[in-house]
Each structure stands twice: as C-alpha cells, then as structure tokens.
Amino acid sequence: GAGVSQSPRYKVTKRGQDVALRCDPISGHVSLYWYRQALGQGPEFLTYFNYEAQQDKSGLPNDRFSAERPEGSISTLTIQRTEQRDSAMYRCASSLARQGQMSTGELFFGEGSRLTVL
Amino acid sequence: RKEVEQDPGPFNVPEGATVAFNCTYSNSASQSFFWYRQDCRKEPKLLMSVYSSGNEDGRFTAQLNRASQYISLLIRDSKLSDSATYLCVVNMRDDMRFGAGTRLTVKP
C-alpha cells in the first residue's frame, strides 16, 4: 500500500507475555519513528531510526522495550514481560528526512497498534 | 519541565470565532516547528510548518518567537470541521517531539 502500515491493529495480551508490533513505512522513507499515545495525550516519543541505525532510544521507558529495523525498512517494536501500564496506542511514523539534514517535518503516521495488557 | 508544553484546553468556541493556541518549548537549539492536527481516534497529520517570519495558510496563521521559545496558531472564522486536537511539534535535527495537544470544539 501507499501509506504506513502497522500490525496488528489490536493486540490483547496477558501480563508477562512478550509482544511484537510491526511497522512497514512508506517505500523510500529514510526515517522511522515510534511513539506511544495514551488517551487524551499527545504522542510520546520512544525511538527513531535513520535507515537501519537507531539514532535515539532515549524515549524507551525501560529495558523491556526494544526496537529494530535491520534492513532499513520494516521495523519491530518489542515489549518483553508486558505490564498493565504498557497498555496504549503505539504509533509508527515515517518521513523522507535524510540523516544529518533537517526534516521537512511531515511525518506520515500509520493507524497504530492498540495494545491492551490484562 | 516538559520539552513541549501546550494548554490542554478544551477550547469550546462558536462557529466564526477566532481562537489562538500557544506552545512553549524547552530546548533553545530546536530548529524547526510544526502544527499537526489529530481527529478523534485518527492518526496525527501535518497542518502547517511554522517559520520565523510567521506564515499563513488560509484561515490559519502560525508564528514563532525564538527568543521566548514560543509558538502560536491562530484560527480565524472557525468552522465545525476545525474541531480536533492541535499538536505542537518541535524538531531538533530529526528528533520530533510532540506536545500533549489542545482540544478544540467548534459549536454551531
């Protein structure tokens, strides 16, 4: 498809299970971002990549969260040993920004993956 | 202090009203600035960039004050379809940080 694709759209899991959320960015987009959004709040930055390189992971809440983008395209956000407080909408976005250059600011978001931890 | 701060609102205004939103940012090295719009249960989408000289796009005017680390968005002649959450976004190099958003409801 032409847009950013995220899967699964909805994930319900039990506390303690691991989950993997996938993002397929727009073809040719260099930068890929992961955000978490709670109801009524703005997107909270988690991490981002230029190509396959993870540029900034300062927003990852703790070491249960990790992300990878091994071939510079599809990315996976993994949450290990999920906790109820991890429940949120996880949003992926991509942009044409090139490494070391100013971004145009246009991030294209996917529809998100809604995670519910019971 | 949060990196990007906005008044959460909500702002409830009648059609035709003029409404202004403000945003402050903490990092003086921030290089570019944007307003995004997010409709209920949808993903955020770019509304407009914010330039140092100020810029206008139809009924929308954005302004930047680097000295005060302050960004604003003015909406004139509000329409029902303007009802949404408006997100202030600050970019330092390629690291895009969002504010919590300001909720606007335009009523008939």
Side-chain angles (χ1 to χ4, degrees):
Chain A
V4 177
S5 177
Q6 291 187 246
S7 61
R9 290 287 310 281
Y10 302 92
K11 177 70 177 178
V12 180
T13 190
K14 292 183 179 180
R15 187 175 52 189
Q17 297 294 306
D18 297 350
V19 297
L21 307 177
R22 173 188 163 118
C23 174
D24 192 350
I26 293 172
S27 178
H29 276 198
V30 169
S31 295
L32 184 148
Y33 297 77
W34 282 101
Y35 291 89
R36 179 170 68 175
Q37 189 170 23
L39 198 61
Q41 297 295 313
E44 173 195 5
F45 173 81
L46 296 178
T47 186
Y48 88 97
F49 295 82
N50 275 345
Y51 300 101
E52 73 283 357
Q54 192 168 17
Q55 298 296 314
D56 182 350
K57 55 182 181 180
S58 64
L60 294 175
N62 51 61
D63 60 8
R64 295 186 297 105
F65 288 72
S66 63
E68 62 175 9
R69 193 187 184 197
E71 297 178 2
S73 179
I74 292 169
S75 177
T76 302
L77 177 70
T78 301
I79 309 172
Q80 295 179 310
R81 305 181 302 281
T82 52
E83 301 178 4
Q84 287 184 324
R85 59 179 171 156
D86 299 333
S87 297
M89 175 72 82
Y90 288 82
R91 295 195 182 276
C92 174
S94 69
S95 87
L96 277 171
R98 298 179 184 178
Q99 188 170 9
Q101 293 185 3
M102 188 90 60
S103 141
T104 65
E106 181 135 33
L107 294 182
F108 295 86
F109 281 85
E111 293 182 300
S113 292
R114 180 166 293 284
L115 174 65
T116 302
V117 182
L118 302 176
Chain B
R1 182 183 173 187
K2 290 183 182 178
E3 293 164 321
V4 183
E5 293 204 59
Q6 295 182 248
D7 180 349
F11 285 67
N12 297 306
V13 303
E15 268 187 295
T18 295
V19 61
F21 305 137
N22 303 320
C23 171
T24 58
Y25 59 96
S26 61
N27 190 334
S28 60
S30 298
Q31 298 176 332
S32 51
F33 311 90
F34 312 91
W35 284 99
Y36 275 66
R37 170 188 169 135
Q38 186 171 24
D39 293 296
C40 188
R41 302 184 193 281
K42 298 289 188 181
E43 68 274 21
K45 292 184 179 178
L46 179 66
L47 176 66
M48 61 194 300
S49 301
V50 185
Y51 302 120
S52 296
S53 55
N55 51 296
E56 192 173 304
D57 182 2
R59 297 181 293 108
F60 298 81
T61 300
Q63 292 193 316
L64 167 65
N65 183 324
R66 284 188 185 271
S68 302
Q69 296 178 206
Y70 171 94
I71 306 158
S72 66
L73 176 68
L74 183 77
I75 306 175
R76 292 183 300 279
D77 189 22
S78 300
K79 311 292 185 189
L80 295 176
S81 57
D82 293 335
S83 297
T85 296
Y86 291 83
L87 299 158
C88 176
V89 184
V90 174
N91 180 349
M92 182 177 148
R93 297 180 69 181
D94 288 329
D95 189 347
M96 302 281 280
R97 303 287 174 137
F98 283 72
T102 299
R103 174 76 188 149
L104 171 67
T105 301
V106 181
K107 299 185 175 181

